[in-house]
Amino acid sequence: MGVRAITTVGDPVLRERAREVTPDELRSPQVQRHIDDMIATMREAGGAGLAANQIGELVRIAVVEVDHNPRYPYKPPIPLTVIVNPVIEPLDGGTAEINEGCLSVPDLRGTVQRHLAVRVSYLDRDGTERQDVRRGLTAGTFQHEVDHLDGTLFVDRVTDPTTLTTWEQFERFHREAFVERARRLVERVGS
Ligand code: ZN
């Protein structure tokens, strides 16, 4: 299949809770193919991550990767990570306002509060249990993807609607200030 169509806001699949994947399912060629499709779709669209709901599959799988991403040039690199049945636990470290966008919410960005340090417990695509601590903007990316699996979009978490902006206006009016804030944040807490 390869690159799949990305569901957009208004599609009920983005509002449903995706279900856990069993070890047998995870080993199946079908689910492994979904994972390959998600990686191909994320890369093709230039996203920093993609959740299964976004290709219309209601299973708890998401992929994350940042490698000099032109959509988010200020994000620190994240090696390709496939998370299955992820659970996020906030750690001490407070929260910060992060400006986010989403492939399923075309041409809109907004500011949300994210935990600055989280423990992500998950299975990798081979079914091995893993735990990573993620910080800063990277922690935000993982929270965004796991939100998708619960039917939550970033716009639900925008508490100040005046922060909503198209990508063009973000570039014109807000990018510089946010990138500076993001740079200081990464310096302070890492990724
Ligand atoms: Zn998203």
Side-chain angles (χ1 to χ4, degrees):
M1 294 265 283
V3 174
R4 306 261 295 259
I6 296 176
T7 55
T8 51
V9 59
D11 188 323
V13 77
L14 290 171
R15 291 311 192 173
E16 284 184 54
R17 184 186 185 277
R19 62 174 179 79
E20 271 76 15
V21 182
T22 67
D24 277 351
E25 276 181 304
L26 181 55
R27 275 191 293 271
S28 72
Q30 190 194 10
V31 167
Q32 290 293 321
R33 201 165 48 239
H34 288 160
I35 293 172
D36 289 334
D37 289 354
M38 288 170 63
I39 295 167
T41 305
M42 168 181 67
R43 287 177 173 166
E44 168 78 11
L50 194 81
N53 313 46
Q54 294 181 277
I55 60 162
E57 305 289 344
L58 278 171
V59 286
R60 297 186 82 75
I61 302 176
V63 297
V64 171
E65 182 181 49
V66 176
D67 181 19
H68 303 292
N69 187 316
R71 269 167 68 92
Y72 305 101
Y74 49 83
K75 282 198 188 217
I78 310 173
L80 176 64
T81 309
V82 177
I83 54 174
V84 180
N85 300 342
V87 175
I88 284 198
E89 177 195 346
L91 304 174
D92 283 348
T95 63
E97 292 188 335
I98 295 180
N99 183 281
E100 293 190 3
C102 177
L103 294 173
S104 291
V105 186
D107 203 19
L108 195 66
R109 300 183 60 129
T111 297
V112 300
Q113 287 281 339
R114 294 292 188 192
H115 297 286
L116 283 175
V118 293
R119 180 179 292 115
V120 190
S121 306
Y122 61 98
L123 303 177
D124 66 17
R125 69 181 297 170
D126 300 321
T128 304
E129 283 186 32
R130 298 195 179 275
Q131 277 198 344
D132 302 331
V133 173
R134 303 291 191 165
R135 297 179 190 281
L137 298 178
T138 304
T141 302
F142 278 86
Q143 288 164 79
H144 178 115
E145 298 313 327
V146 174
D147 267 357
H148 273 300
L149 302 178
D150 291 326
T152 298
L153 298 175
F154 84 89
V155 284
D156 307 353
R157 295 194 183 277
V158 172
T159 52
D160 178 0
T162 68
T163 66
L164 292 171
T165 170
T166 64
W167 284 68
E168 184 188 346
Q169 305 311 342
F170 179 76
E171 289 294 321
R172 275 179 75 191
F173 296 113
H174 307 288
R175 184 175 188 278
E176 208 174 314
F178 177 66
V179 169
E180 177 54 24
R181 208 149 50 77
R183 195 186 57 74
R184 284 199 305 266
L185 191 71
V186 171
E187 238 173 45
R188 186 159 61 85
V189 302
S191 65

